[in-house]
Amino acid sequence: MTEIVKASLENGVQKIRITAEKGYHPAHIQLQKGIPAEITFHRVTPSNCYKEILFEEEGILEPIAQDEEKVIRFTPQELGEHEFSCGMKMQKGTYTVVEKTKKSLSLLQRFWITSIFTLPLVLIMLGMLTGSISHPVMHWGTFLATTPIMLVAGGPYIQSAWASFKKHNANMDTLVALGTLVAYVYSLFALFAGLPVYFESAGFILFFVLLGAVFEERMRKNASQAVEKLLDLQAKTAEVLRDDAYIQIPLEQVKVGDLIRVRPGEKIAVDGIVLEGETSIDESMVTGESIPVDKSVGDAVIGSTINNSGTIIFRAEKVGSETMLAQIVDFVKKAQTSRAPIQDLTDKISGIFVPAVVILGILTFWVWFVLLGESFVTSLLYGVAVLIIACPCALGLATPTALMVGTGRSAKMGVLLKNGTALQEIEKVQTVVFDKTGTLTEGKPVVTDVIGDEREVLSLAASLEDASQHPLAQAIVNRATELGNSLYPVENFQALHGKGVTGTINGKQVLLGNTKLLADLDIPRDYQERFDLLEKEAKTVVFLSVDGDLKGLLALQDIPKGNAKTAISQLNARGLQTVMLTGDNAGVAHAIADQLGITKVIANVLPEEKAHEIHKLQMKGKLAFVGDGINDAPALSVADVGIAMGSGTDIAIESADVVLTTNNLLGVVRAFDMSKKTFNRILLNLFWAFIYNIVGIPIAAGVFSGLGLVLNPELAGLAMAFSSVSVLISSLMLNVSKVE
């Protein structure tokens, strides 16, 4: 059934938002007669086709620029289906005008009501097979059970088929409506004429089709809470200077130019510039960089990031919708609304199949009744049999059952496919783009190299860093602890901002830091050579000196995950291009990429630029993006397939199409393999769904009646049911198919 999205009624006005990007989304909307409507179009694509919005019947032609929103206002008066399009009529959508709607039954409610009345049909059929139910009881029993099903379940399909007919179109709803109506109306005639009835065919058709629709709805129902979760990350209050005193005020009262004080452990309220103090700030939630960034006077700070060490005062530069987080929120909103829905393969087929079946049914009746001179009843039975055998129960189950089984098995393997769209899109993916920090790497630095006396160097360094909360310090302490090194008491400890730390150990001055701290120190040639080599490997290097003598070097790096290299290798082997997209510097990025075998690196990318880079890569083909952080949310949303690490942030998980419930990158490979198998299974199901039609239609039409091979409506209904069973079995076979 074509999905029609209803406009929401707000203060007496019908409102709906439509995105113009590779078609209209949604493309089919419903409006109520006589109620003012406001339709907001957001043009994403640069295509000239969308530069004008046309509602020809309403006399509306409005220009719209790229990335602009245009509100179309009118009051619909004429019932029925109407058209809107771009000015050139190359991309079209429809709006259906209906009478003021009453509360209607939901899909799930219709399914449960249908199920209740389908149960007696099953019992009656079993009774007939065992001979415990007489023909009159069967006739009237199936009539009483099927009639409510026709009213509750059949009504929407009949309405959809009628609307399509008026527009000279046909879809799968047309076959459902025709098959059920013909079976029901004929059986109603046969009931009083004393002929065999086929009410159960109509009932079972609607049950199976609704079952498929429920599965589809379950797969599609992925109401995202991403935006709300993003907004929850904002600081709720800020300590702002008012009348020569700092006071707590709600975030929404902060203005540009306000002076804001932030203590250690608190969130930065809005974007701004540091005026006083020095600190380090954890910006990983926005930038993806795991190592805190040192900040001093003149440096920019980002709203919602966390202040680690010192107290700072900064001036608010961007507030409200202008902050980086707010812009990410806005982009996620737009990206999610512009996502194209899965193309329904069955609807494409139906454009040819449905009219052909209807014509065949009519021709069958005409040939038998007019040309061959058979009785009206016999001729009608042949025509009814054609329509029943062609009814798309199996077709309706082909996609949703495979999706349900495929996604269920994927989940057991740690791959959560959130919607059916991902299945179709993965088939077309040519490039897999990875975030670095927390996705390809562990997300925290570790000690990789110790130059000098390892035990002595680590013991002294860890003793100094034991009191620090900096990730680099923690990495050194953790390494010393792993080796069982004892720590020394430290006197006169001092943290030197942006340089390192110093203290007295056993009466000797010990320094640990970068080249700024040891600028006056004479570095031996062999140490300098090792330092240069380690820096080329994009490692963070710190020096250790005791009383002015260099004792050693320590190199730290955010290392790749253990399974990352294997996963990249398997993706490359499948002919996929692998790309790293990161906010980190190019040296670090290339070093990690070389270790893993990634073919392309895009570094120094700001969070708001990630989605732009994805768009540029999409010009060369479909891509999947794998990420874990808040900063990855826009990229995950705009990518053809978004894949989030299960260990990542909630916003990343909500924005993605696929979630790896474990922190295993091999899940990306499994996602590709399982999606391919599931999609191929859908195609196989469609084959099985149609093979019965190809074989059964000629038999039902009486082509082989001279050989004694006849398919009456009752047997046609049985064959139709068997085709549904075969599709279900085919889908269940996904549970035992081999996956790497």
Side-chain angles (χ1 to χ4, degrees), residues 525-697:
R525 184 176 177 181
D526 58 334
Y527 276 103
Q528 186 64 56
E529 288 176 353
R530 295 298 299 272
F531 172 76
D532 294 339
L533 184 63
L534 291 168
E535 279 218 318
K536 285 181 181 178
E537 295 174 359
K539 296 177 180 178
T540 301
V541 184
V542 292
F543 295 83
L544 179 80
S545 75
V546 180
D547 284 345
D549 293 328
L550 187 64
K551 291 294 184 181
L553 308 176
L554 292 99
L556 301 97
Q557 191 178 49
D558 182 11
I559 61 171
K561 291 178 177 177
N563 50 40
K565 188 173 183 178
T566 304
I568 298 299
S569 173
Q570 292 189 18
L571 290 171
N572 289 336
R574 285 161 171 76
L576 297 165
Q577 183 188 24
T578 50
V579 179
M580 179 191 293
L581 180 65
T582 179
D584 215 340
N585 70 72
V588 173
H590 279 284
I592 298 295
D594 290 342
Q595 290 181 50
L596 299 178
I598 290 176
T599 54
K600 184 176 182 178
V601 174
I602 305 171
N604 298 307
V605 181
L606 295 174
E608 62 268 27
E609 294 174 348
K610 278 195 172 184
H612 177 65
E613 292 293 335
I614 293 294
H615 275 307
K616 285 170 54 178
L617 290 169
Q618 283 175 318
M619 293 178 182
K620 299 178 182 179
K622 298 276 186 181
L623 63 80
F625 178 79
V626 188
D628 73 316
I630 293 166
N631 60 304
D632 298 325
L636 285 164
S637 295
V638 81
D640 299 291
V641 180
I643 303 174
M645 307 298 292
S647 59
T649 60
D650 288 345
I651 172 59
I653 291 170
E654 288 289 337
S655 302
D657 306 294
V658 180
V659 179
L660 308 181
T661 55
T662 62
N663 205 29
N664 191 340
L665 277 171
L666 288 172
V668 177
V669 182
R670 294 192 186 108
F672 273 83
D673 289 352
M674 198 62 211
S675 297
K676 186 173 183 177
K677 285 184 179 294
T678 304
F679 193 76
N680 288 341
R681 186 63 56 168
I682 291 172
L683 296 178
L684 180 63
N685 286 352
L686 292 173
F687 166 78
W688 281 114
F690 279 105
I691 197 68
Y692 287 94
N693 299 132
I694 295 169
V695 175
I697 286 176

Side-chain angles (χ1 to χ4, degrees), residues 304-322:
S304 302
T305 57
I306 300 172
N307 183 26
N308 276 348
S309 52
T311 298
I312 60 169
I313 295 172
F314 73 94
R315 181 180 64 247
E317 297 286 327
K318 295 179 180 179
V319 302
S321 62
E322 298 299 315

Side-chain angles (χ1 to χ4, degrees), residues 282-358:
D282 180 2
E283 296 184 343
S284 60
M285 61 184 294
V286 175
T287 65
E289 178 53 54
S290 58
I291 298 175
V293 182
D294 293 327
K295 301 287 184 180
S296 57
V297 175
D299 291 332
V301 292
I302 303 169
S304 302
T305 57
I306 300 172
N307 183 26
N308 276 348
S309 52
T311 298
I312 60 169
I313 295 172
F314 73 94
R315 181 180 64 247
E317 297 286 327
K318 295 179 180 179
V319 302
S321 62
E322 298 299 315
T323 64
M324 184 179 293
L325 183 65
Q327 289 175 357
I328 292 175
V329 169
D330 184 59
F331 198 93
V332 171
K333 281 182 178 177
K334 291 178 180 178
Q336 289 187 333
T337 57
S338 67
R339 188 183 300 278
I342 190 169
Q343 293 294 313
D344 191 349
L345 182 60
T346 58
D347 271 348
K348 290 181 178 180
I349 297 169
S350 69
I352 300 170
F353 181 68
V354 175
V357 169
V358 174

Side-chain angles (χ1 to χ4, degrees), residues 410-482:
S410 296
K412 293 176 183 176
M413 298 189 299
V415 180
L416 178 61
L417 296 164
K418 294 172 67 177
N419 54 60
T421 306
L423 285 171
Q424 179 170 318
E425 294 301 305
I426 282 180
E427 283 292 293
K428 307 169 187 173
V429 165
Q430 299 170 321
T431 305
V432 186
V433 184
F434 292 88
D435 169 54
K436 181 182 77 70
T437 306
T439 301
L440 291 169
T441 67
E442 294 290 350
K444 56 184 180 182
V446 298
V447 176
T448 59
D449 303 86
V450 180
I451 312 302
D453 186 324
E454 183 177 14
R455 193 168 191 86
E456 181 186 11
V457 171
L458 275 173
S459 293
L460 291 171
S463 300
L464 277 178
E465 297 282 31
D466 191 37
S468 176
Q469 296 300 311
H470 196 285
L472 292 180
Q474 290 299 301
I476 293 171
V477 173
N478 290 341
R479 180 64 173 164
T481 304
E482 288 171 7

Side-chain angles (χ1 to χ4, degrees), residues 35-48:
I35 301 176
E38 290 185 0
I39 306 173
T40 303
F41 284 87
H42 176 221
R43 179 186 168 194
V44 179
T45 180
S47 169
N48 285 332

